[in-house]
């Protein structure tokens, strides 16, 4: 074991570490134990002599409940209660703490935190249990098979003792290669809706530490004036007005040329000094288009032959079928740029230790990104860079840029100093809204042919938009035969059996940096699929649920999608509505999970729509922490509906027009009166829950509005408030 | 300028320029980080503190206007009867997700319950409207305020 660790290049220590048992993984994925303090670098679980357990969380906690979830897996297998275990964030190590679905890359995204960790973390907990039991069995001279750990106590064979008593002995035991995982019938915490979040106490009393709360001795605060248009560079700047600000230290252009860093003694001074800065920009190579031109380009692309034939269909034949159909439904959709706007504005703090190590304090969603970038910036080997992961105040994708944008910015600001003072980079809300990473704009044009009975006989679906993955390190992972799957996911892999479907894709030029935004391509594909299905049902005079079920007749995927559809309809009282109210439904699969949503509205589009109630049904496999699943459904629904109601980022001459919450208005408490979530019981492996609630929420709202009256229409361009729909 | 700041029952002499928001004195000078920066324009409520018992947005409260006032932050709510009830309700219902806005939500909720011990759901929505939560924990915030009202009544 020590050899395995040293082969990995980790330092060994002869220092006594007290009685502690660490369970981790080595290069080959085998579990390994050690009582060396330095083995803390590599563990998933730690048990100290006083019987406390600690789970090491490899995923960021930004509200989705990963810390509680990963800790639950350890606690369940080990045999402790949630009161007997704590959690810590793992250090950055792309080989040990990687996302098993991402390869050698540590990161959180795609609603995979639990899905990729479910077996790994249970195995770590089970290995610890078996080693402790082996140690006890040896001491007591009994068969290990007669012992178990229950609430932290080793019990069996007429004996009982706190597990802490055997920690030192267990550290010397052989690590089981394949520890027995507890059967689902033994589970006490997994699936228990009474389990509370472990991070709640510190988040209600002000003690939670986010990266924004870092105050290192002698730190400087840096804010950056960035180019107002993508591609602009600094020619010169005048900081004479900044110098008047008390606490101003200096201003320097970033070596990338995309901005000027302003250094100050504290945050308020940095804000004032940065805002007082005058910068001359070279905008000759910068983006100059406005949103109208970008939209025109995307819509024009929908009317040309697509660059990519995504599903290799015979489009000409599909078009012929649609053209000859008894009824042809045609609709063009447009989706604007959207900002993520997490509550905690982007920030991170960087320092250099006496040993020359670089330490980054960050709510790091993808630690491997800055870890790799800093090796280049500081010309240091990986082991000289430490990333201290902290709680993150939301992300929705924004903290996971392929180019580690804000961490790199902090690194550049730091390397331009003598490194004697830590540098804390802070973005304000205006920086965030204008900071240039957005859900890409997208357009869809769909022509659906129905026969005399209303059945679909052809579906010609064209998509145009800005690729998220192309030009990034993730291109080889997500782009195949030229198709960025993230632009067409939710159509190309829909569980619906749609006869005669052609799917085409055309990439358009990026006007801004674009990025995954909670549920990525599903943010627009689900909307289009579900509005078109609703329109087809209505045109055919069929019930919206029954009509969809007709295209979900298979086993597996289709059956699970049908399952949530039926459950949501049943729980929402589908088929009737109070006077003046109407209901709309939508169902979508994303990130391996299935969510159906019924939205009930009242009012009208002129005087104001009221969202009376949202009812959701969720199938995400085993619901590890059911209350977290419910909370994520609620949040994802709010995120989807809030932006569909009234948010968009627009460009004027290449510059973002919005700046802060007053013109990028968040969902507010009064916008949705009630959300009710129902979870489908399941024995399937857990899949995502952070994102899947978002995709069906907006189309369910659109479908509800379209059901309010005979002449009500399906909103085909978002946000709704800019396209003829008032909200109360 | 130097002002005398009474914060959480302690007096601090603070030297800051006129126009400095209370938020940055609390966070950067006094190092109490439970009060959050979210927007800087009083549009999100993450920075909510109590000024002589009333919720205010500390990002738009300036030090020259508060000499001698009593400021209370989230760090002191455990000792406040209403504050403790709200925190208890928040824990019962696991209101938080990312948690960044929740100090402000709790400070505002305490303000509501002090003036209206038994609010309706609609009154909660009206009073809490200015406190944004990007995680959209609103269902539980509403339920949490109503639950805190029950706890206080018991």
């Amino acid at each position: 074991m020590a050899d395995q660790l040293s082969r990995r290049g980790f330092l060994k220590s002869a220092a006594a570490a007290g009685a502690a048992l660490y369970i981790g993984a080595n290069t080959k994925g085998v579990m390994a134990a050690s009582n060396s303090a330095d083995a803390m670098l590599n563990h998933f679980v730690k048990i100290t002599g006083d019987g406390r357990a600690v789970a090491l969380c490899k995923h960021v906690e930004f509200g989705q409940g990963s810390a509680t979830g990963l800790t639950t897996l350890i606690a369940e297998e080990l045999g402790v209660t949630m009161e007997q275990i704590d959690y810590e964030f793992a250090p950055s190590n792309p080989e040990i703490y990687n996302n098993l679905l991402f390869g050698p890359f540590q990161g959180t995204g795609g609603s995979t935190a639990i899905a990729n960790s479910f077996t790994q973390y249970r195995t770590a907990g089970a290995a610890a249990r078996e080693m402790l039991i082996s140690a006890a069995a040896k001491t007591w001279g009994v068969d290990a098979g007669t012992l178990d750990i229950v609430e932290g106590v080793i019990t069996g064979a007429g004996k009982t003792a706190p597990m802490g008593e055997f920690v030192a002995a267990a550290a010397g035991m052989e690590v089981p290669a394949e520890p027995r995982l507890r059967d689902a019938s033994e589970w006490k915490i997994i699936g228990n809706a009474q389990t509370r979040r472990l991070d709640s106490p510190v988040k209600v009393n002000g003690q939670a530490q986010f990266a924004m709360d870092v105050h290192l001795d002698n730190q400087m605060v840096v804010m950056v004036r960035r180019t107002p248009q993508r591609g602009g560079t600094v020619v010169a700047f005048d900081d004479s007005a900044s110098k008047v600000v008390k606490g101003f230290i200096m201003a320097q252009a970033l070596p990338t040329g995309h901005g000027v860093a302003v250094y100050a003694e504290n945050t308020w001074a940095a804000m004032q000094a940065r805002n007082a800065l005058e910068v001359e920009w070279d905008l000759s190579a910068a983006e100059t288009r406005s949103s109208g031109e970008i939209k025109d380009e995307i819509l024009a692309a929908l009317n040309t032959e697509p660059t990519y034939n995504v599903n290799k269909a015979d489009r000409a034949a599909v078009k012929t079928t649609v053209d000859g159909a008894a009824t042809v439904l045609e609709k063009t959709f447009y989706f604007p740029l959207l900002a993520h706007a997490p509550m905690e504005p982007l920030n991170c703090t960087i320092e250099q230790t006496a040993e020359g190590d670089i330490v980054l304090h960050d709510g790091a969603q993808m630690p491997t990104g800055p870890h790799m970038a800093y090796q280049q910036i500081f010309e240091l080997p990986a082991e000289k860079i430490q990333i201290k992961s902290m709680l993150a105040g939301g992300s929705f994708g924004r903290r996971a840029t392929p180019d580690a944008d804000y961490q790199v910015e902090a690194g550049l600001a730091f390397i331009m100093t003598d490194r004697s003072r830590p540098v804390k980079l802070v973005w304000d809300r205006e920086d965030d809204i204008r900071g240039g990473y957005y859900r890409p704009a997208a357009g869809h044009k769909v022509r659906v042919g129905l026969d005399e009975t209303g059945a679909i006989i052809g579906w010609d679906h064209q998509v145009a938009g800005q690729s998220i993955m192309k030009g990034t390190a993730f291109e080889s992972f997500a782009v195949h035969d030229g198709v960025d799957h993230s632009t067409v996911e939710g159509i190309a892999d829909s569980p619906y059996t749609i006869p005669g479907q052609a799917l085409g894709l055309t990439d358009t030029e990026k006007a801004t940096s674009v990025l995954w935004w909670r549920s990525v391509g599903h943010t627009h594909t689900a909307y289009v699929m579900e509005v078109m299905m609703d329109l087809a049902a209505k045109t055919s005079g069929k019930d919206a649920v029954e009509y969809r079920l007709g295209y979900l007749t298979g086993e597996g995927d289709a059956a699970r999608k049908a399952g949530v559809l039926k459950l949501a309809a049943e729980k929402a009282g589908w088929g009737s509505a109070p006077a003046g109210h109407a209901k709309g439904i939508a169902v979508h699969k994303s990130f391996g999970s299935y969510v159906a949503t019924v939205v009930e509205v009242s009012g009208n589009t002129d005087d104001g729509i009221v969202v009376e109630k949202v009812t959701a049904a969720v199938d995400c496999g085993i619901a590890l922490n059911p209350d977290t699943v419910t909370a994520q459904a609620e949040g994802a629904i709010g995120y989807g509906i809030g932006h569909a109601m009234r948010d968009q980022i627009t460009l004027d001459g290449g510059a973002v027009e919005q700046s802060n919450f007053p013109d990028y208005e968040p969902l507010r408490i009064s916008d949705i009166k009630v959300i009710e979530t129902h979870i489908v019981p399941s024995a399937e492996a857990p899949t995502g829950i952070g994102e899947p609630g978002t995709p069906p929420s907006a189309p369910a709202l659109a479908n509800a509005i379209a059901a309010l009256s005979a002449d009500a229409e399906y909103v085909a361009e978002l946000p709704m408030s800019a396209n003829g729909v008032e909200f109360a | 300028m130097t002002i005398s700041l009474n914060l959480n029952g302690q007096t601090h002499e603070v030297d800051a320029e006129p126009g400095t928001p209370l938020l940055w004195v609390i966070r950067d000078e006094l190092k109490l980080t439970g009060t959050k920066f979210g927007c800087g324009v009083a549009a999100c409520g993450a920075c909510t503190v109590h000024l002589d018992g009333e919720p205010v947005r500390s990002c738009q409260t300036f030090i020259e206007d508060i000499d001698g006032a009593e400021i209370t932050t989230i760090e002191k709510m455990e000792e406040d009867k209403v504050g403790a009830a709200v925190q208890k309700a928040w824990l019962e219902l696991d209101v938080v997700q990312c948690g960044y806005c929740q100090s402000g939500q709790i400070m505002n909720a305490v303000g509501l319950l002090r003036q209206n011990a038994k609010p309706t759901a609609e009154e909660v929505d009206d009073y809490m409207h200015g406190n944004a939560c990007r995680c959209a924990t609103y269902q539980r915030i509403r339920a949490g305020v109503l639950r805190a009202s029950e706890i206080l009544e018991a």
Side-chain angles (χ1 to χ4, degrees):
Chain A
M1 173 201 65
D3 286 342
Q4 288 165 342
L5 286 172
S6 64
R7 274 208 303 274
R8 295 189 54 84
F10 288 104
L11 298 172
K12 285 184 291 182
S13 170
L21 172 63
Y22 304 111
I23 304 295
N26 65 21
T27 40
K28 298 183 175 60
V30 179
M31 309 309 295
S34 171
N35 62 354
S36 148
D38 293 300
M40 287 183 73
L41 288 169
N42 308 299
H43 60 223
F44 290 103
V45 54
K46 169 171 71 176
I47 304 157
T48 54
D50 61 0
R52 296 284 308 168
V54 181
L56 263 285
C57 296
K58 67 178 186 175
H59 288 290
V60 69
E61 172 58 70
F62 46 32
Q64 85 283 38
S66 65
T68 303
L70 297 175
T71 305
T72 296
L73 297 172
I74 299 287
E76 187 72 83
E77 285 297 337
L78 180 58
V80 298
T81 68
M82 292 296 274
E83 289 72 35
Q84 295 172 319
I85 191 166
D86 304 308
Y87 72 89
E88 293 173 5
F89 294 116
S92 170
N93 187 317
E95 289 167 337
I96 292 176
Y97 294 118
N98 60 318
N99 185 319
L100 300 180
L101 299 174
F102 290 2
F105 193 94
Q106 186 178 350
T108 304
S111 298
T112 58
I114 298 306
N116 93 93
S117 307
F118 188 60
T119 300
Q120 184 182 42
Y121 271 67
R122 282 190 301 149
T123 303
R129 182 189 73 233
E130 291 197 355
M131 294 166 76
L132 287 160
I133 284 176
S134 294
K138 194 174 169 188
T139 303
W140 292 340
V142 301
D143 178 3
T146 63
L147 303 179
D148 193 6
I149 302 179
V150 179
E151 297 187 0
V153 177
I154 302 180
T155 308
K159 304 257 186 193
T160 172
M163 68 180 189
E165 291 183 11
F166 296 96
V167 163
M173 305 299 292
E174 194 169 329
V175 183
E178 291 183 18
R180 183 190 76 86
L181 299 183
R182 294 188 190 275
D183 185 77
S185 63
E186 300 173 62
W187 290 348
K188 296 170 184 163
I189 316 173
I190 296 174
N192 186 340
Q194 301 309 310
T195 301
R196 300 290 86 188
R197 290 181 71 108
L198 294 176
D199 55 349
S200 269
V202 294
K203 288 178 174 177
V204 305
N205 66 12
Q207 298 306 312
Q209 289 292 295
F210 299 86
M212 190 67 99
D213 302 327
V214 169
H215 282 284
L216 299 180
D217 285 346
N218 206 29
Q219 75 182 16
M220 295 188 280
V221 175
V222 167
M223 296 190 77
V224 175
R225 168 69 61 76
R226 297 176 191 81
T227 171
Q229 293 154 246
R230 182 177 187 242
T233 53
V234 176
V235 175
F237 66 88
D238 174 1
D239 61 1
S240 52
S242 305
K243 284 175 174 159
V244 177
V245 175
K246 188 180 174 191
F248 169 79
I249 299 170
M250 62 178 171
Q252 300 192 80
L254 289 166
T256 56
H258 83 278
V260 179
V262 177
Y263 302 70
E265 295 293 342
N266 58 60
T267 317
W268 178 239
M271 281 182 183
Q272 290 180 291
R274 192 274 308 264
N275 293 347
L277 196 69
E278 298 286 340
V279 182
E280 182 188 337
W281 299 99
D282 175 359
L283 297 171
S284 57
E287 178 61 51
T288 57
R289 290 177 296 165
S290 298
S291 287
E293 295 163 73
I294 294 160
K295 181 179 174 183
D296 289 346
E297 182 197 349
I298 288 175
L299 296 183
L302 295 172
N303 290 315
T304 59
E305 270 305 300
T307 311
Y308 306 107
N309 181 345
V310 177
N311 65 349
K312 312 291 184 223
D314 181 347
R315 189 183 179 211
V318 170
K319 285 169 80 170
T320 302
T321 303
V322 172
D323 289 341
T327 307
V328 179
L329 308 174
E330 178 177 320
K331 242 175 154 43
T332 299
F333 296 83
Y334 187 72
F335 302 88
L337 298 167
L338 291 171
H340 306 74
M343 279 308 300
E344 181 193 11
L346 298 176
N347 72 93
C348 59
T349 303
I350 187 166
E351 63 176 322
Q352 181 166 299
T353 67
E355 295 74 34
D357 287 10
I358 295 293
V359 182
L360 174 70
H361 305 260
D362 182 21
Q365 185 172 352
M366 298 198 310
T368 303
H371 204 151
M372 291 168 67
Y374 281 12
Q375 290 172 56
Q376 295 185 330
I377 292 174
F378 296 101
E379 297 178 330
L380 285 173
E383 60 269 24
K384 295 287 282 179
I385 295 159
Q386 303 169 36
I387 297 180
K388 305 271 192 195
S389 291
M390 306 190 67
L391 292 169
S395 171
F396 317 112
R398 180 61 183 90
R399 295 180 200 279
T401 49
D403 55 359
D405 70 311
Y406 68 94
Q407 296 103 334
V408 165
E409 205 172 60
L412 295 175
F414 187 60
I415 205 168
M416 290 195 296
T417 70
D418 65 6
R419 308 193 204 177
S420 64
R421 301 183 68 180
V423 160
K424 179 178 185 177
L425 173 77
V426 175
W427 290 43
D428 65 11
R429 183 59 59 194
E430 287 79 7
D431 295 329
D432 173 59
I433 297 293
R434 294 184 163 162
Y437 287 80
Y438 306 103
R439 192 283 301 271
H444 292 235
K445 182 176 180 180
V446 188
R447 295 181 75 242
V448 176
L450 307 178
D451 69 12
E452 293 79 1
T453 69
I456 298 167
I457 56 171
W459 183 298
D460 181 26
H461 198 141
Q462 302 303 313
V463 184
Q466 302 154 341
S467 167
I468 294 170
M469 303 292 182
K470 287 186 179 179
T472 75
F474 296 91
E475 182 162 345
S476 62
F477 177 75
V479 178
H480 302 288
D481 295 332
V483 175
D484 179 346
H485 182 71
S486 77
T487 317
V488 292
E489 61 186 357
I491 312 169
D493 51 3
S494 170
Y496 284 131
T497 305
I498 294 175
Q501 187 177 32
L503 176 58
L505 170 66
T506 301
D507 293 332
T508 58
E509 195 190 334
K510 299 179 194 185
T512 61
S513 302
V514 294
L515 186 63
W516 34 68
W517 182 101
R518 197 174 194 168
S519 78
V520 197
H522 299 282
T523 57
H524 50 96
T525 61
Y527 192 92
V528 175
M529 292 297 290
E530 288 305 295
V531 165
M532 289 309 295
M533 284 303 259
D534 217 71
L535 176 61
K538 183 188 275 188
T539 306
S540 312
K542 306 273 176 63
D543 174 74
V545 173
E546 292 303 321
Y547 191 83
R548 285 174 173 81
L549 289 174
Y551 297 94
L552 293 170
T553 53
E555 293 300 308
D557 242 11
R560 291 179 74 182
K561 188 169 168 178
V564 293
L565 182 63
K566 287 187 277 194
L567 181 62
E570 176 204 327
K571 296 294 185 184
W574 183 254
S576 66
H581 291 216
K583 292 174 184 170
I585 196 164
V587 59
H588 195 75
K589 179 194 179 189
S590 61
F591 309 97
S593 296
Y594 310 79
V595 179
T597 309
V598 175
V599 172
E600 180 180 334
V601 297
S602 64
N604 62 64
T605 54
D606 292 334
D607 302 324
I609 297 287
V610 176
V611 179
E612 299 282 352
K613 185 176 182 184
V614 181
T615 308
V618 176
D619 178 353
C620 59
I622 293 162
L624 173 58
N625 301 123
D627 194 53
T628 296
V629 170
T630 299
Q632 284 305 294
E634 292 167 359
I637 287 164
Y639 203 70
I641 286 180
H643 292 89
M645 285 169 70
R646 56 184 170 235
D647 289 322
Q648 61 179 331
I649 291 294
T650 55
L651 305 181
D652 180 14
V656 172
E657 294 187 287
Q658 292 72 25
S659 66
N660 200 319
F661 288 141
D663 52 13
Y664 193 77
E665 175 69 20
L667 182 86
R668 299 287 181 173
I669 192 169
S670 50
D671 286 323
I672 301 174
K673 288 190 177 177
V674 182
I675 300 177
E676 193 179 282
T677 303
H678 301 273
I679 301 170
V680 175
S682 175
E684 301 284 338
T687 44
I689 195 56
E691 296 167 275
T694 296
S697 61
L701 173 60
N703 294 342
I705 292 169
L708 268 171
S709 66
D711 60 347
E713 292 184 15
Y714 291 91
V715 185
E717 294 189 20
L718 297 181
M720 293 178 176
S721 61
N723 290 283
V725 179
E726 293 291 328
F727 288 92
Chain B
M1 65 182 286
T2 300
I3 67 153
S4 174
L5 192 65
N6 182 334
L7 188 122
N8 294 341
Q10 287 191 315
T11 302
H12 303 265
E13 298 298 317
V14 174
D15 181 27
E17 294 297 292
T20 302
L22 173 61
L23 169 66
W24 296 113
V25 173
I26 293 171
R27 286 185 56 82
D28 280 5
E29 299 302 317
L30 304 178
K31 309 283 195 288
L32 283 176
T33 56
T35 304
K36 300 303 187 197
F37 165 61
C39 70
V41 297
C44 79
C47 67
T48 304
V49 300
H50 292 170
L51 179 76
D52 294 332
E54 293 283 326
V56 296
R57 306 302 193 223
S58 63
C59 75
Q60 291 297 316
T61 302
F62 304 101
I63 58 152
E64 62 270 27
D65 300 328
I66 57 169
D67 200 5
E70 285 190 21
I71 310 294
T72 314
T73 68
I74 185 69
E75 285 86 354
K76 199 71 172 173
M77 281 299 104
E78 277 166 342
E79 299 170 29
D80 180 281
K81 185 183 169 213
V82 180
V86 173
Q87 288 175 324
K88 183 167 187 284
W90 250 237
L91 292 176
E92 278 183 25
L93 299 175
D94 262 352
V95 171
V96 308
Q97 288 186 27
C98 90
Y100 193 81
C101 73
Q102 297 293 348
S103 295
Q105 302 281 359
I106 289 168
M107 296 305 284
N108 216 53
V110 171
L112 167 61
L113 291 168
R114 278 188 186 149
Q115 68 173 53
N116 180 356
K118 282 188 69 72
T120 63
E122 197 168 310
E123 286 168 340
V124 173
D125 283 8
D126 283 348
Y127 196 91
M128 299 297 291
H129 188 268
N131 283 74
C133 172
R134 294 290 293 164
C135 300
T137 63
Y138 298 124
Q139 302 300 304
R140 291 170 189 237
I141 289 170
R142 183 187 299 121
V145 177
L146 298 176
R147 175 67 189 127
S149 171
E150 284 177 9
I151 291 170
L152 285 166
E153 197 178 38

